[in-house]
Amino acid sequence: MNEQAKSLRIGDALIEDGHITEEQLHQALLVQKATSQRLGELLVEQGVVSSAVLVRTLGTRLGIAACQIRHGVIDPMVFDLVGADEAERLTVIPLFRVHDTLTVAMAEPQSLPTIDHLQSMVGLKIRPVLALEANIREFIKKFAEGDRDVDAFLSSLSESDVQVVEKEAVADDVIADLDRMVEGSPIVNLVNVMLLTAVRDGASDIHVEPDRNGTRVRYRIDGVLRDLMKPPTGMHASITSRLKVIGRMDIAEKRLPQEGRIRIVAEGREIDIRASSMPTLLGEKLVLRILDKSNLHVRLEDLGFRETILETVNRMLRQPHGLVLVTGPTGSGKTTTLYSALDLLRSPELNMVTVEDPVEYQLDMVNQIQVQDSIGMTFARALRSILRQDPDVIMVGEIRDEDTARVAVQAALTGHLVLATLHTNDAPGAIGRLLDMNIEPYLLSGAINGVIAQRLARIACPSCVTKYYPDERVLEDAGIPERAGRAFRKGGGCTRCHNSGYIGRRGVYQVMEVSPALRRLIHRAAPPHELREQVTRDGGLTLREEGVLMATEGHTSLEEIIRVTQDDETVEPHEMPRTQEEAA
């Protein structure tokens, strides 16, 4: 009786929404009485309503999100968290994971015992969404049979799955709503799955490369490129064309490099993507840089500084004027550190201006300027104009040449706090780089407040972390041979970390505050080795020593620290502090 009442209510909702007539409902109820079939499934079977309409109506009735499972909606990496047998028994299928929440399609999403069971099984929060039972079982079968790759998904698309969009709405900023990704053509589906996967896995870049056998898609996750998708053969031109269209690039021009910008909505938030195309021997290669504001930590305390060097950084930034440099290779998090410094200093009482190439994230109360070399808007020219705008704090995205370096130093000497990035291997090396740019030593010694050198080290995956004992060579390279036999920690590899043993990254920082002794050495243009010796006498550590401290605290492996500090100075064994307290 209750089931019939529930069925009647669903039928009434379909009538109210104008999807069926009373006569169609009456005929369906007569058949249901004879077959005991569920009313909704019966209506779909008869072709009276579509499965998409039914699941949407059911979701509204239950007050829960509803979805129709289609090709590309499921992240293959999460299916094994539940497994085919358990998914079949519970009539559920995991769709995707975002941080510590697993979204699961369920035939009965209101079943609290099922949700509790899933939560204890996978160790994650469960976000239930409604899906039709037949739809769930169809895809459980596909995954149980190993039908997980993109090629199989796309080749099994039926005509009803493909809706060709004759004319797309074009705005100043192209916004692709990934929540509707399964409503497009196979190429649109594939590109949207590619972008959505990158956002969910926290990738910083997507590389779409031509290959002799088709297309290769690689994701840079935690600083390392990984193969996570293999599109079908013969689709490379279509994929690149689709990306160039939504990036507002010229799809007819395939001989010259191009740049574009894409804006998408994924996981309920706007994400900017910078696109760059490059012609190669086998075809065009595209690299997409993902700019996800949710990954931007704008508090210095969240970046991984040790307490003592965080105090030093704060002291450097609180100076009323002077030059503070952040150094390191591309992709080492320099821009994030600068944004964090700006966040610390932001105040209605200060005029803060940045000049960047490009502006990656927008900050409140900060005037941000985009460099455009093509029209002569260079770093140096923008800096000169900024100085006539009564600034208090100036951020320079990168010091690339003598002209920019000279204006930045002069600004620091004339009462402004200047923050900038530079490409050097360590903190003392920044001094030599500016001297090489013909900056006079007496000017530099008066302008510089300090230098932060940094790298990003991958963090051991908490789901598979285990103890291990590094071999003698690793300990020797790390500068701690006397610690043989001591256990360290690293990830063993699991589905959560794509068998890499690492999830996420944390900064390794060398902070050089310019002491009076160091300032005298800079004034007489002392060679780099003398500067490094003075930094050591002042109590500073090298990048590798800072990284080894991180490894001894169990955050990552020694091998990872050696990898990211490969270009740092060799650590003498007796110099290495044993604990963070000793380093302080």
Side-chain angles (χ1 to χ4, degrees):
M1 182 65 185
N2 289 339
E3 183 64 35
Q4 187 177 6
K6 184 179 177 181
S7 299
L8 284 168
R9 290 197 297 273
I10 293 170
D12 290 340
L14 289 169
I15 291 174
E16 187 178 328
D17 292 344
H19 298 304
I20 64 173
T21 65
E22 290 189 10
E23 178 60 28
Q24 288 172 324
L25 175 60
H26 178 68
Q27 292 295 329
L29 287 171
L30 291 176
V31 176
Q32 184 199 29
K33 188 175 289 187
T35 61
S36 298
Q37 206 172 346
R38 289 186 179 181
L39 178 63
E41 294 176 357
L42 184 60
L43 289 168
V44 172
E45 188 178 293
Q46 292 176 341
V48 177
V49 296
S50 68
S51 57
V53 167
L54 176 62
V55 75
R56 191 162 54 242
T57 304
L58 286 169
T60 302
R61 299 267 312 125
L62 294 172
I64 194 168
C67 75
Q68 185 177 16
I69 307 172
R70 287 199 183 180
H71 311 283
V73 175
I74 304 170
D75 180 355
M77 301 300 295
V78 305
F79 182 78
D80 290 332
L81 292 175
V82 175
D85 292 340
E86 196 69 5
E88 182 76 28
R89 186 179 73 82
L90 300 173
T91 320
V92 303
I93 188 165
L95 299 180
F96 51 83
R97 172 186 176 175
V98 179
H99 303 304
D100 62 346
T101 301
L102 181 67
T103 297
V104 181
M106 305 173 62
E108 296 183 2
Q110 69 275 36
S111 173
L112 294 179
T114 303
I115 293 172
D116 290 342
H117 177 69
L118 287 170
Q119 190 163 315
S120 63
M121 178 191 302
V122 301
L124 299 168
K125 296 176 185 175
I126 302 298
R127 176 183 175 238
V129 297
L130 174 69
L132 298 182
E133 180 177 343
N135 196 198
I136 292 173
R137 294 194 183 280
E138 172 194 354
F139 277 85
I140 290 174
K141 183 179 179 184
K142 284 179 179 290
F143 273 68
E145 293 173 353
D147 185 8
R148 305 187 186 196
D149 60 22
V150 176
D151 199 355
F153 276 146
L154 296 179
S155 65
S156 64
L157 285 170
S158 64
E159 289 187 9
S160 62
D161 290 323
V162 180
Q163 299 175 11
V164 179
V165 180
E166 296 293 340
K167 184 177 181 181
E168 295 186 1
V170 177
D172 289 338
D173 290 305
V174 178
I175 298 181
D177 188 351
L178 296 186
D179 292 334
R180 303 192 189 94
M181 69 181 183
V182 295
E183 296 179 4
S185 70
I187 292 299
V188 173
N189 281 351
L190 180 56
V191 169
N192 288 340
V193 169
M194 182 191 307
L195 299 177
L196 191 58
T197 301
V199 172
R200 287 173 179 163
D201 286 355
S204 61
D205 302 88
I206 309 173
H207 290 241
V208 183
E209 304 167 323
D211 189 275
R212 294 187 183 277
N213 300 317
T215 305
R216 188 181 186 190
V217 179
R218 297 190 291 170
Y219 296 84
R220 188 174 294 281
I221 301 175
D222 296 335
V224 178
L225 283 172
R226 299 178 188 168
D227 277 307
L228 295 182
M229 181 181 288
K230 183 66 177 176
T233 303
M235 300 187 83
H236 185 76
S238 299
I239 293 169
T240 54
S241 293
R242 171 62 182 168
L243 288 168
K244 290 170 74 174
V245 165
I246 63 177
R248 311 301 292 275
M249 299 155 75
D250 184 359
I251 63 171
E253 180 56 75
K254 301 181 179 180
R255 302 164 301 169
L256 296 173
Q258 294 187 65
E259 293 184 359
R261 193 152 192 157
I262 304 167
R263 183 180 296 172
I264 65 173
V265 176
E267 307 294 329
R269 61 185 188 271
E270 279 194 11
I271 293 167
D272 284 331
I273 300 174
R274 293 206 320 265
S276 170
S277 71
M278 177 70 69
T280 72
L281 188 62
L282 297 176
E284 283 187 285
K285 172 180 176 175
L286 271 79
V287 175
L288 310 176
R289 169 62 60 89
I290 312 294
L291 302 175
D292 186 353
K293 290 183 181 178
S294 67
N295 293 332
L296 178 65
H297 300 288
V298 293
R299 295 176 67 248
L300 282 172
E301 294 84 350
D302 298 333
L303 298 184
F305 285 102
R306 288 193 297 109
E307 186 175 347
T308 51
I309 63 175
L310 179 60
E311 292 173 1
T312 303
V313 171
N314 277 311
R315 191 164 55 245
M316 286 158 43
L317 294 174
R318 295 295 185 185
Q319 298 295 321
H321 56 80
L323 177 63
V324 177
L325 296 172
V326 181
T327 76
T330 301
S332 60
K334 299 188 299 297
T335 301
T336 299
T337 301
L338 284 181
Y339 280 147
S340 301
L342 289 176
D343 181 67
L344 175 72
L345 298 170
R346 267 192 301 183
S347 165
E349 300 173 357
L350 295 177
N351 177 21
M352 306 178 70
V353 189
T354 74
V355 51
E356 307 170 60
D357 183 22
V359 175
E360 296 191 7
Y361 302 102
Q362 295 180 17
L363 298 175
D364 294 333
M365 294 192 296
V366 179
N367 303 290
Q368 296 173 270
I369 299 170
Q370 170 83 47
V371 167
Q372 297 186 59
D373 289 329
S374 59
I375 60 172
M377 187 62 158
T378 61
F379 276 108
R381 183 170 181 178
L383 263 177
R384 290 191 181 94
S385 298
I386 288 171
L387 291 174
R388 292 190 285 271
Q389 291 278 315
D390 186 31
D392 296 296
V393 180
I394 303 170
M395 186 192 98
V396 184
E398 184 182 345
I399 295 179
R400 297 177 177 172
D401 51 43
E402 179 183 341
D403 204 8
T404 306
R406 191 168 294 282
V407 178
V409 168
Q410 288 173 349
L413 288 169
T414 53
H416 306 91
L417 180 62
V418 180
L419 314 178
T421 71
L422 199 63
H423 288 284
T424 64
N425 290 337
D426 63 358
I431 305 302
R433 181 62 52 86
L434 289 174
L435 293 176
D436 288 343
M437 291 181 178
N438 297 319
I439 302 300
E440 290 81 356
Y442 71 91
L443 292 178
L444 182 57
S445 66
I448 190 81
N449 288 349
V451 184
I452 304 168
Q454 67 181 76
R455 301 290 188 274
L456 290 177
R458 294 177 295 169
I459 300 302
C461 173
S463 297
C464 59
V465 68
T466 183
K467 290 182 179 180
Y468 82 108
Y469 296 89
D471 60 38
E472 291 182 5
R473 180 166 184 176
V474 171
L475 293 169
E476 187 72 36
D477 289 343
I480 48 173
E482 74 282 358
R483 301 194 192 181
R486 171 175 172 172
F488 287 78
R489 302 179 76 197
K490 69 175 181 179
C494 63
T495 54
R496 183 181 175 189
C497 61
H498 304 292
N499 293 313
S500 68
Y502 301 97
I503 284 186
R505 290 188 291 176
R506 178 173 171 175
V508 181
Y509 302 95
Q510 178 192 26
V511 176
M512 182 185 81
E513 185 178 21
V514 178
S515 63
L518 198 55
R519 201 176 297 278
R520 288 192 293 272
L521 289 175
I522 297 170
H523 189 274
R524 65 176 179 83
H529 73 272
E530 288 189 30
L531 298 178
R532 293 187 177 100
E533 290 169 0
Q534 184 59 50
V535 169
T536 300
R537 285 194 293 271
D538 290 341
L541 303 181
T542 67
L543 268 169
R544 179 160 295 181
E545 288 170 342
E546 290 283 356
V548 170
L549 279 176
M550 183 189 296
T552 57
E553 292 168 4
H555 298 297
T556 189
S557 66
L558 279 178
E559 289 82 356
E560 173 66 6
I561 293 301
I562 291 169
R563 182 185 73 85
V564 299
T565 61
Q566 202 67 255
D567 50 10
D568 190 25
E569 290 292 293
T570 302
V571 181
E572 295 297 330
H574 65 276
E575 294 178 346
M576 185 60 219
R578 296 177 180 275
T579 64
Q580 194 175 120
E581 288 71 22
E582 282 188 36

